[in-house]
Amino acid sequence: MHQYKIAVIPADGIGKEVIPAGVQVLETLAEKDGTFVFNFETFPWGSDYYHQYGKMMPKDGLDTLKNFDAIFFGAVGHPTVPDHISLWGLRLAICQGFDQYANVRPARILPGIISPLRSRGEKDLDWIIIRENSEGEYAGVGGRAHRGHSQEVGMEVSVFTRSGVQRIMRFAFELSRQRSRKLLTMVTKSNAQRHGMVMWDEIFAELSMEYPDITTDRVLVDAITTRMVLHPETLDVIVATNLHADILSDLAAALSGSLGIGPTANLNPEKKFPSMFEPIHGSAFDIMSKGIANPLGTFWTAVLMLEHLGEKQAAVKLMQAIETVTRAGASLPIDLGGQATTAQVTDAVCTVLQQS
Ligand code: IPM
Ligand code: MG
């Protein structure tokens, strides 16, 4: 019997609602399967913790997390805590501290879901966005000088390293290999940004020689937004910088039906450190405590966690259960045009799992 130690960090806002729902679904799945169990340990870190202790997590937080097989994470962001503090104090501290350099964001129009691209259905949009997750525009390099004076400067420096670019591209090539279309699109802005972005182009061209079986494609970040909307079927795996992919993944989630659906894996592919799994939506304080948050993004995130743990069959089963519920349509959450509460959507998925 496999035992998985999972660190649970619901953190802020609706993270506290969708993560317990995800735990319930995972427990139902494990019980039914009978070949593995989860040991969940929940940590109360986040903005409430910050209000009490002046930091987002304890100093030795990463040491504590190091011993887990995976981290199941909700969302960070609180109206009274500056975003750069909550982000750098918890989510980025974990991503960067554990070298989770590959951020994987699938987007798909699930059965029964109506995309804002009205004429488009399941077969037209099936992407995986690979986001560089350790450097680039999120490197945290830069500075401020002459604060408050008219000559004040603020510099935000993007850092791209050959090894950093190579490893994320290699990851994207390998992933494309596992998909039927074997199509990889790389996004840059190398017409305007002539240093780091041109290096991205060069490294991509070099690596593509090693992967002759993969069809490659280069698109500028502005141009790909129109491609995503007008010709979604021309894309499959997309690799982009930290910031570009951040923006594109919100668009991708919206086009697939709702921001409430999108999942994320922050992977340390070598498994030297635990990886972290989180829904793409934020803390959504506007709908907090109403019981209406969409837990499907968290369930899909749990699918990614199961895949990473090596529980492939269980991952397929959970994805099928999610799709059974979306296809049936009776238990859709509000953001997907239904009326179901978080608890009702969760129960619907658990019922399908129990019957499968
Ligand atoms: C995401 C989010 C974060 C990011 C925010 C919360 C800073 O938008 O995971 O996409 O930009 O990385
Ligand atoms: Mg984002």
Side-chain angles (χ1 to χ4, degrees):
M1 175 91 83
H2 267 100
Q3 295 224 6
Y4 298 110
K5 279 182 71 180
I6 310 292
V8 179
I9 310 177
D12 300 344
I14 61 167
K16 291 188 198 147
E17 299 167 45
V18 292
I19 291 298
V23 167
Q24 186 186 331
V25 160
L26 282 166
E27 265 170 350
T28 306
L29 184 69
E31 227 165 82
K32 176 79 184 173
D33 185 278
T35 66
F36 60 91
V37 286
F38 291 110
N39 285 321
F40 293 107
E41 192 175 332
T42 301
F43 296 92
W45 304 342
S47 295
D48 292 346
Y49 191 91
Y50 178 83
H51 285 128
Q52 212 173 338
Y53 302 106
K55 45 188 180 257
M56 295 293 289
M57 68 171 161
K59 246 206 185 117
D60 60 355
L62 289 188
D63 285 334
T64 307
L65 293 177
K66 218 168 45 202
N67 305 313
F68 286 82
D69 294 308
I71 304 160
F72 198 38
F73 191 90
V76 274
H78 191 284
T80 65
V81 183
D83 281 341
H84 65 278
I85 289 183
S86 58
L87 186 72
W88 281 95
L90 192 61
R91 188 179 166 274
L92 282 179
I94 297 171
C95 285
Q96 301 202 349
F98 285 160
D99 203 18
Q100 295 166 346
Y101 65 84
N103 182 295
V104 179
R105 299 188 157 178
R108 196 146 66 75
I109 302 176
L110 298 184
I113 303 294
I114 298 173
S115 161
L117 303 173
R118 267 165 307 169
S119 58
R120 302 292 189 161
E122 279 173 63
K123 287 184 188 61
D124 300 311
L125 194 165
D126 182 0
W127 306 328
I128 300 189
I129 297 180
I130 306 298
R131 171 180 179 185
E132 201 298 314
N133 213 33
S134 66
E135 53 179 32
E137 308 86 343
Y138 281 57
V141 172
R144 299 266 298 267
H146 312 303
R147 275 183 194 253
H149 295 280
S150 57
Q151 70 274 32
E152 180 169 358
V153 243
M155 286 193 306
E156 199 74 51
V157 180
S158 296
V159 176
F160 298 105
T161 62
R162 177 166 277 272
S163 57
V165 177
Q166 268 175 343
R167 67 182 182 174
I168 196 64
M169 285 189 186
R170 243 181 232 293
F171 182 88
F173 273 107
E174 294 291 336
L175 182 80
S176 309
R177 232 176 212 171
Q178 291 166 28
R179 306 216 347 138
S180 61
R181 295 179 65 192
K182 315 225 175 311
L183 169 62
L184 175 62
T185 301
M186 185 210 46
V187 178
T188 62
K189 186 66 189 172
S190 58
N191 54 348
Q193 298 185 306
R194 57 194 180 153
H195 307 297
M197 295 285 78
V198 174
M199 187 175 82
W200 267 65
D201 284 349
E202 288 169 9
I203 295 173
F204 190 65
E206 286 163 24
L207 280 179
S208 61
M209 312 289 265
E210 286 179 39
Y211 295 88
D213 51 325
I214 307 295
T215 308
T216 56
D217 182 19
R218 282 189 332 163
V219 191
L220 297 170
V221 67
D222 47 349
I224 202 172
T225 59
T226 56
R227 271 261 296 274
M228 288 167 79
V229 174
L230 300 175
H231 304 289
E233 73 290 349
T234 64
L235 298 164
D236 193 72
V237 179
I238 300 164
V239 64
T241 72
N242 214 329
L243 181 63
H244 288 166
D246 172 46
I247 298 164
L248 297 180
S249 56
D250 268 26
L251 176 59
L255 294 177
S256 66
S258 166
L259 199 56
I261 272 189
T264 299
N266 298 284
L267 299 180
N268 174 255
E270 292 75 25
K271 301 199 176 174
K272 228 171 101 191
F273 300 102
S275 293
M276 178 159 74
F277 301 84
E278 55 172 346
I280 185 175
H281 62 68
S283 50
F285 266 73
D286 52 329
I287 58 159
M288 185 176 103
S289 302
K290 294 189 176 154
I292 57 168
N294 180 353
L296 293 173
T298 298
F299 301 162
W300 194 348
T301 294
V303 172
L304 300 183
M305 187 166 83
L306 289 162
E307 283 171 359
H308 182 73
L309 293 171
E311 295 295 342
K312 307 269 183 241
Q313 254 180 319
V316 170
K317 232 168 139 188
L318 178 51
M319 197 66 222
Q320 281 171 350
I322 294 168
E323 291 183 23
T324 303
V325 168
T326 58
R327 190 180 292 112
S331 307
L332 290 180
I334 289 164
D335 58 314
L336 290 174
Q339 288 183 330
T341 61
T342 310
Q344 286 165 335
V345 181
T346 308
D347 288 343
V349 172
C350 287
T351 304
V352 175
L353 287 173
Q354 271 150 356
Q355 288 164 354
S356 63

